[in-house]
Amino acid sequence: MRDSEEEEKWSRETIPKVMKIITNRLPQRDLISLLFVSSSIYRTLVSTPSLWLAVDLREMNNAGDRLIAALSLTRYHHVKRIVLEFAQGIEDKHLDTLRNKLSGSLKDLEHLNLNGCQKISDKGIEAITEACPSLKIFSIYWNVRLCFRVTDAGISHLGKNCKHIVDLNLSGCKGISDKSLQMVSENYPHLEFLDITRCIKITDGGLQHIIVKCSGLKSLNLYALSSFTDGAYKKLSLLSHLRFLDLCGAQNLSDEGLFSIAKCKDIHTLNLTWCVRVTDVGVIAIAKGCTSLEYLRSKQLEVDACHFHDRLK
């Protein structure tokens, strides 16, 4: 009898205390695996709302079916973050099911990561964005398969359905053009983070739309985009809040363009690797003008900017 009472007390008092500690330290996947250890642990975890604000299925198989199954559970009805990065088995049809049957579970979703999901097309983007009006962070890095490629139509659906985007990662989406950036600039004037790495159809015109209308940008990744000219780079001086700028591979960037970028005094990280027209003159202008610079990488050097500032004195 005494053993039974002690076990009940352990389940009622000690387990909840222990679980409260580890829920802040273990990854969600590990915590979920504990659901089946005992009924007391199950009750404690299920009654912890913060644990069910995210669904992380990155690199998992049958991700589409798993996602639908998870969002069918009451405890996931206020999910804020879904990560499907390089997950297998997630297709447009799964996102369509979410829109048609489980949209109520997505009304609070703020962060959606579809990085590396190669079977998501414009149709999938249309479906999921219609169900996620509160979305703030959207990432679909490396969407490259020709038969499923996201195009300007998909970005149009995003702009139409999700009005609160502040962080957008379109890296590797080779199907989008200047039209997408125009839509982004018109719909998201408060955009803070943008990654258009290897979006090879984008020209000066598209970039200038962003620079002029999204003046609050803090991070801009233009990695491996060689077609822009100094005409666009000079306008970067309008981004007075810019802190991170990646121009690796900007083959047309000259010292003249850097003189304008040097006016962005809040930049703390700048990548100028493979900017083949840049000389020491431009790099020195950056070091003198970007007084908040912490890290600078170029074909000439890779240094802690504090040391570089010291060398210029």
Side-chain angles (χ1 to χ4, degrees):
M1 184 68 176
R2 183 172 178 78
D3 289 344
S4 178
E5 290 176 352
E6 289 181 352
E7 183 177 348
E8 183 180 348
K9 183 178 180 181
W10 171 269
S11 298
R12 185 178 65 253
E13 298 179 5
T14 305
I15 286 182
K17 291 179 181 178
V18 172
M19 297 309 296
K20 185 177 181 179
I21 295 172
I22 68 173
T23 51
N24 295 321
R25 300 184 181 184
L26 288 180
Q28 186 195 37
R29 288 190 190 185
D30 293 339
L31 288 169
I32 290 176
S33 67
L34 297 176
L35 284 170
F36 306 101
V37 173
S38 72
S39 59
S40 56
I41 291 178
Y42 178 91
R43 287 193 300 270
T44 300
L45 290 178
V46 169
S47 62
T48 306
S50 60
L51 179 59
W52 312 106
L53 295 178
V55 178
D56 188 345
L57 299 175
R58 71 184 74 200
E59 299 181 3
M60 294 188 69
N61 294 322
N62 302 316
D65 292 337
R66 289 173 184 265
L67 180 61
I68 291 171
L71 295 181
S72 299
L73 301 173
T74 303
R75 57 178 175 266
Y76 278 114
H77 281 189
H78 297 285
V79 67
K80 290 183 177 293
R81 182 170 176 262
I82 294 177
V83 179
L84 296 165
E85 188 162 284
F86 291 99
Q88 303 300 312
I90 177 74
E91 302 178 19
D92 287 343
K93 64 181 182 180
H94 297 108
L95 302 185
D96 193 55
T97 298
L98 293 179
R99 172 184 58 181
N100 295 332
K101 297 183 179 180
L102 295 167
S103 59
S105 300
L106 297 169
K107 63 183 183 301
D108 297 322
L109 189 69
E110 296 181 354
H111 183 168
L112 177 60
N113 182 331
L114 295 173
N115 290 344
C117 295
Q118 298 297 337
K119 293 187 177 182
I120 301 298
S121 72
D122 293 335
K123 291 182 179 179
I125 300 302
E126 179 181 17
I128 194 65
T129 57
E130 284 184 359
C132 305
S134 301
L135 203 62
K136 294 180 180 179
I137 302 172
F138 180 71
S139 182
I140 190 164
Y141 160 83
W142 205 243
N143 177 265
V144 295
R145 288 183 61 171
L146 288 175
C147 53
F148 293 104
R149 182 176 291 182
V150 171
T151 69
D152 293 331
I155 306 308
S156 178
H157 294 312
L158 177 69
K160 176 183 176 182
N161 298 321
C162 304
K163 299 300 184 182
H164 307 291
I165 298 292
V166 295
D167 188 330
L168 182 59
N169 186 347
L170 302 174
S171 174
C173 293
K174 298 182 180 181
I176 68 170
S177 70
D178 289 347
K179 186 176 180 180
S180 285
L181 289 199
Q182 181 177 354
M183 288 184 288
V184 168
S185 67
E186 291 173 351
N187 285 283
Y188 307 125
H190 301 297
L191 191 69
E192 296 182 2
F193 303 88
L194 177 64
D195 189 338
I196 50 173
T197 294
R198 292 193 176 92
C199 294
I200 56 177
K201 290 185 178 181
I202 295 173
T203 69
D204 279 9
L207 179 58
Q208 288 178 18
H209 278 299
I210 292 294
I211 294 172
V212 171
K213 294 190 176 181
C214 302
S215 59
L217 271 177
K218 296 178 181 178
S219 175
L220 180 59
N221 197 330
L222 306 177
Y223 183 96
L225 293 174
S226 60
S227 62
F228 298 140
T229 70
D230 270 348
Y233 295 130
K234 287 178 182 178
K235 289 190 179 295
L236 289 171
S237 63
L238 298 174
L239 301 178
S240 59
H241 302 287
L242 197 62
R243 303 190 68 207
F244 174 94
L245 179 61
D246 193 332
L247 296 173
C248 179
Q251 296 182 11
N252 296 318
L253 174 66
S254 71
D255 291 339
E256 189 175 353
L258 281 188
F259 295 154
S260 293
I261 295 172
K263 297 176 183 178
C264 300
K265 298 186 180 301
D266 287 343
I267 288 181
H268 66 67
T269 300
L270 177 61
N271 187 359
L272 299 175
T273 308
W274 299 113
C275 296
V276 294
R277 295 182 61 196
V278 168
T279 72
D280 290 343
V281 174
V283 175
I284 291 172
I286 287 293
K288 289 182 176 179
C290 300
T291 53
S292 299
L293 199 63
E294 297 176 3
Y295 177 80
L296 172 65
R297 184 174 185 180
S298 75
K299 65 186 178 68
Q300 292 93 341
L301 74 168
E302 179 178 347
V303 296
D304 181 304
C306 292
H307 295 159
F308 191 46
H309 284 309
D310 289 341
R311 278 190 255 165
L312 293 177
K313 291 178 180 178

